[in-house]
Amino acid sequence: MSSDARVVRVEGRGCVLRGDDIDTDRIIPARFLRCVTFDEVGAHAFEDDRLQAKGNHPLDDPRFAGARLLLVGRNFGCGSSREHAPQALWRFGFQAFVGESFAEIFFGNCVALGLPCVTLPRAELTRLMESVELDPRQELVLDLAKGTLASKLGAQAVAMPDGARRQLVEGAWDATAVLLAAGDAIEATAARLPYVGGYTA
Amino acid sequence: MPRSLLDKVWDAHTVRELPGGQTQLFIGLHLIHEVTSPQAFAALREARLGVRFPKRTFATVDHIIPTDSQRRPLGDPLAEEMLQHLERNCAEHGIAFFGPGSGRQGIVHVIGPELGLTQPGLTIACGDSHTSTHGAFGAVAFGIGTSQVRDVLATQCLALARPKVRRIEVTGKLAPGVYAKDVILTIIRRLGVKGGIGYAYEYAGPVVDAMTLEERMTVCNMSIEGGARCGYVNPDETTFAYLQGREYAPAGAAFERAVAWWRAIASDPGAAYADRVEIEGHALAPTVTYGITPGQAVAVDERVPFPADLPAEERAGVEEALGFMELRPGEPIAGVKIDVAFIGSCTNGRISDLREAARVAQLGRVAPGVRTFVVPGSQEVQRQAEAEGLPEIFRAAGFDWREPGCSMCLAMNPDKLRGRELCASTSNRNFKGRQGSPTGRTLLMSPAMVAAAAIRGHVVDVREVLG
């Protein structure tokens, strides 16, 4: 794995998307899943929410234009396993997610794309959201090696499960190479499972 | 030391431990469909990799398939393109594909079990969050994204952290008119839509023991709506009886050896759990969602809540939900008018679901102005229903009997809500826009409750209709 796969720091402005339990159907509605590549999904991130908000959606707010960190609430990305969701947000321009908690499949999909999802306790997250809403131009610096998020509030400790954090920091988030490295141990494991041989022995 | 099924299956499938606490886990069964696999095959091609265990992957087409006619080419050129990609990818890599002409096509979580592919003790992955369904057999089954589909194709493995196990015991007995759907909606209501993050749910207790495999599938299917990536029931005689004679299940002496292994893989008495929850089965009632997450639910004889009565952290979400749903706080959920009734999906599109819905449907006629969709979960379910005369019962009552697929559960095919329509649905998600109209609304309930709502034109306690 080349060293440029390492994801240690994400720097940039923040975009505040309030609300809990935001599901992947809202992030990318199912009709945009009728495709065989991810190329076009970025244009449709949160499309239906944005249409209904008539320009008042955070993704259309000029103050947040060009933001790289998306600040979200609790259980973000719940529901469908569609990787189109993080693909859409990444292609829209986000490179990291900061929230109170993330749904597991969404989290795993993000790691597989090299996108960190870090968490803050609710009270601290609320303070950060308020700060970014008051001063959207401030730079945020997410440092995965230190486990901190720097903003005008100073450095806050952010959490991420260690396995996933290491995958990003060490540039090993493209799991295929890691899994292939097990070599014949894969076949050896299969051979020990009674069903793989059709329960013949 | 006594161990849970999850720990036994996890240990048996561990290829190696990875740094940072993850496990490289062998995947016993990989199921794929047209939506989340094309990009995975493209990535495989780009990396010049083949499929490591092509005989352990099976494919079908379900999300985009129309339910009026499966004739090729499909009416939607994008859908046709996706289906052609899947056909080509399967042919190129030697993967079995159950397409429209096979007689075995259907929703991936319906056909896996009915073909006998889904078996106890397996690790099962599919690029679909409702893969948790297969846990009903005592498998460790979970949804994955497209990058992970690529990983399974290339290596038959995934890198995952071992979940904790929460044992959920449903005690006593369900009253008539109360179904597996009501059990899982109540569990999610109680534990919340994120309560299961980091957990596998082990469903147990007398109510679960007494359930058929199809009912257990309904429960396990919606584990993901409670935040748990997988949910399972320990295998027992009901499981073994279901599997015997199925196309891909072991036969003869191999079946006996399989049963011995399946028994051994079940959780040991005295296994330790990270958490335990008890739900009183006799206290459950038909349950209906009123909001925009599956946890926002009430019993059919309850009222939509007043946000002020709820814990502070739920208030904003419920206010948003009531605004979107156009429901008033304190309004009884019974009596809410519906525009559409959908019976189907991987949650409730199996033969027993259609039988229960038909039992109610034959007591009346679809109310004027209500559109209906009855969508069997697979071609096998369709055949079985036809053999039992269910389509005639539905048609006589004014219901629209369709071809198998995912249909209006997520509306990737032409079956969609229009505008603000409100749908009584047997599916698993009431998210904003889920059923194809960005402003469409969904109430989740059991198949019998949906059939009852269809003939009355509004939400009604099915026990009242059954008399």
Side-chain angles (χ1 to χ4, degrees):
Chain A
M1 190 82 42
S2 66
S3 61
D4 57 14
R6 290 179 194 175
V7 181
V8 182
R9 281 161 74 93
V10 179
E11 305 177 25
R13 282 178 287 124
C15 172
V16 180
L17 180 66
R18 288 183 181 265
D20 295 326
D21 304 319
I22 290 180
D23 58 79
T24 53
D25 275 88
R26 283 171 70 180
I27 299 173
I28 182 84
R31 63 184 182 279
F32 302 117
L33 273 47
R34 286 154 53 248
C35 55
V36 293
T37 72
F38 291 123
D39 298 348
E40 308 296 326
V41 294
H44 303 295
F46 279 108
E47 176 146 324
D48 291 341
D49 278 12
R50 290 163 71 187
L51 280 173
Q52 286 167 63
K54 297 186 173 69
N56 287 325
H57 193 275
L59 266 64
D60 294 315
D61 188 333
R63 297 180 309 145
F64 297 140
R68 285 195 187 149
L69 292 92
L70 185 64
L71 312 187
V72 298
R74 184 176 61 216
N75 197 27
F76 185 76
C78 60
S80 159
S81 67
R82 59 190 70 166
E83 191 170 305
H84 308 66
Q87 285 274 359
L89 295 173
W90 172 60
R91 285 163 196 271
F92 186 87
F94 297 113
Q95 295 174 9
F97 304 96
V98 183
E100 185 186 344
S101 59
F102 294 89
E104 269 176 78
I105 304 178
F106 179 86
F107 178 93
N109 283 341
C110 284
V111 174
L113 298 175
L115 304 172
C117 296
V118 298
T119 58
L120 277 172
R122 191 153 184 105
E124 285 196 47
L125 179 68
T126 304
R127 277 208 311 143
L128 178 67
M129 284 181 164
E130 284 165 0
S131 170
V132 172
E133 280 171 337
L134 277 171
D135 179 8
R137 302 201 59 82
Q138 65 177 297
E139 276 293 291
L140 308 180
V141 181
L142 172 65
D143 189 320
L144 286 179
K146 292 186 193 149
T148 56
L149 180 77
S151 68
K152 278 177 80 174
L153 301 173
Q156 293 170 284
V158 292
M160 185 169 186
D162 193 48
R165 191 188 65 84
R166 286 176 63 156
Q167 280 178 282
L168 292 171
V169 171
E170 293 168 10
W173 47 270
D174 181 352
T176 314
V178 174
L179 297 171
L180 280 172
D184 295 345
I186 298 173
E187 277 70 17
T189 305
R192 285 195 299 272
L193 292 163
Y195 64 82
V196 171
Y199 299 101
T200 45
Chain B
M1 204 172 91
R3 288 186 300 160
S4 67
L5 176 141
L6 183 116
D7 283 337
K8 293 185 199 182
V9 172
W10 199 273
D11 292 343
H13 290 80
T14 296
V15 175
R16 58 179 182 148
E17 301 297 339
L18 298 171
Q22 288 188 319
T23 305
Q24 178 162 353
L25 204 65
F26 183 80
I27 301 303
L29 174 65
H30 185 209
L31 301 167
I32 59 172
H33 59 79
E34 74 283 8
V35 181
T36 55
S37 69
Q39 301 89 343
F41 282 105
L44 211 62
R45 224 165 270 136
E46 201 174 310
R48 297 177 186 281
L49 291 167
V51 176
R52 185 95 168 224
F53 288 76
K55 300 296 169 214
R56 305 218 74 82
T57 294
F58 296 84
T60 192
V61 54
D62 51 9
H63 287 61
I64 49 114
I65 199 94
T67 61
D68 53 352
S69 162
Q70 296 190 342
R71 213 178 10 216
R72 302 290 295 275
L74 303 179
D76 173 1
L78 291 175
E80 177 63 29
E81 187 189 3
M82 293 168 78
L83 175 48
Q84 286 183 15
H85 270 259
L86 184 59
E87 286 172 324
R88 266 204 309 274
N89 287 327
C90 289
E92 185 183 324
H93 294 284
I95 292 167
F97 173 54
F98 304 121
S102 69
R104 291 178 289 181
Q105 174 268 339
I107 305 174
V108 66
H109 310 308
V110 175
I111 70 164
E114 73 189 10
L115 290 170
L117 289 166
T118 302
Q119 295 171 17
L122 269 65
T123 45
I124 302 178
C126 173
D128 191 287
S129 60
H130 292 111
T131 307
S132 57
T133 311
H134 306 263
F137 291 79
V140 172
F142 41 81
I144 56 178
T146 295
S147 294
Q148 290 175 313
V149 172
R150 173 204 62 198
D151 292 343
V152 179
L153 290 171
T155 71
Q156 204 61 32
C157 293
L158 287 169
L160 290 168
R162 182 191 302 238
K164 297 175 282 185
V165 184
R166 171 178 291 143
R167 184 169 162 99
I168 300 174
E169 291 194 27
V170 188
T171 62
K173 199 168 169 253
L174 298 182
V178 180
Y179 297 90
K181 185 64 159 287
D182 303 307
V183 171
I184 188 61
L185 284 172
T186 303
I187 289 172
I188 299 166
R189 178 187 181 186
R190 191 82 57 85
L191 301 177
V193 291
K194 74 160 189 77
I197 294 180
Y199 286 96
Y201 281 177
E202 178 177 300
Y203 302 103
V207 165
V208 176
D209 292 343
M211 281 181 179
T212 65
L213 247 298
E214 298 199 352
E215 292 171 317
R216 293 177 188 178
M217 284 190 248
T218 298
V219 172
C220 290
N221 172 272
M222 290 188 69
S223 303
I224 185 67
E225 312 314 332
R229 196 171 185 175
C230 86
Y232 65 87
V233 177
N234 281 301
D236 61 8
E237 299 305 321
T238 307
T239 321
F240 311 148
Y242 178 99
L243 280 163
Q244 195 152 28
R246 303 229 168 223
E247 186 174 346
Y248 285 89
F255 185 80
E256 296 311 316
R257 281 191 291 270
V259 167
W261 190 64
W262 295 341
R263 281 188 211 285
I265 211 89
S267 293
D268 297 321
Y273 295 94
D275 189 30
R276 283 175 181 271
V277 172
E278 202 175 282
I279 305 270
E280 287 180 33
H282 70 268
L284 300 190
T287 300
V288 182
T289 63
Y290 62 85
I292 55 171
T293 79
Q296 292 168 332
V298 288
V300 67
D301 52 5
E302 284 182 282
R303 289 163 182 272
V304 172
F306 288 92
D309 294 344
L310 296 170
E313 60 164 36
E314 286 177 32
R315 243 172 258 162
V318 169
E319 273 166 11
E320 181 189 359
L322 296 185
F324 183 82
M325 297 299 290
E326 288 180 14
L327 292 172
R328 294 184 311 278
E331 179 176 359
I333 194 75
V336 170
K337 265 179 57 63
I338 69 155
D339 307 299
V340 179
F342 170 60
I343 297 169
S345 85
C346 58
T347 314
N348 281 127
R350 284 170 286 267
I351 189 68
S352 55
D353 300 311
L354 301 183
R355 285 185 197 130
E356 286 302 317
R359 195 159 72 92
V360 177
Q362 66 187 355
L363 299 172
R365 274 198 63 80
V366 171
V370 175
R371 295 201 290 142
T372 59
F373 296 78
V374 184
V375 183
S378 69
Q379 293 178 337
E380 173 59 24
V381 172
Q382 184 179 29
R383 275 193 299 276
Q384 233 175 317
E386 282 164 0
E388 295 177 22
L390 300 186
E392 287 75 16
I393 294 174
F394 282 117
R395 286 195 194 109
F399 285 83
D400 192 0
W401 174 258
R402 317 280 293 190
E403 301 280 324
C406 296
S407 180
M408 209 190 259
C409 174
L410 86 168
M412 273 191 75
N413 74 347
D415 307 344
K416 295 178 197 311
L417 295 185
R418 303 171 189 148
R420 290 291 282 149
E421 278 182 336
L422 192 143
C423 179
S425 179
T426 66
S427 56
N428 39 58
R429 290 186 174 139
N430 51 350
F431 299 153
K432 284 181 177 179
R434 170 76 178 180
Q435 292 193 289
S437 163
T439 53
R441 298 168 292 167
T442 303
L443 305 179
L444 303 176
M445 54 189 95
S446 72
M449 283 284 288
V450 171
I455 61 177
R456 290 291 176 85
H458 56 79
V459 177
V460 60
D461 189 336
V462 65
R463 296 172 296 188
E464 194 184 307
V465 175
L466 288 170

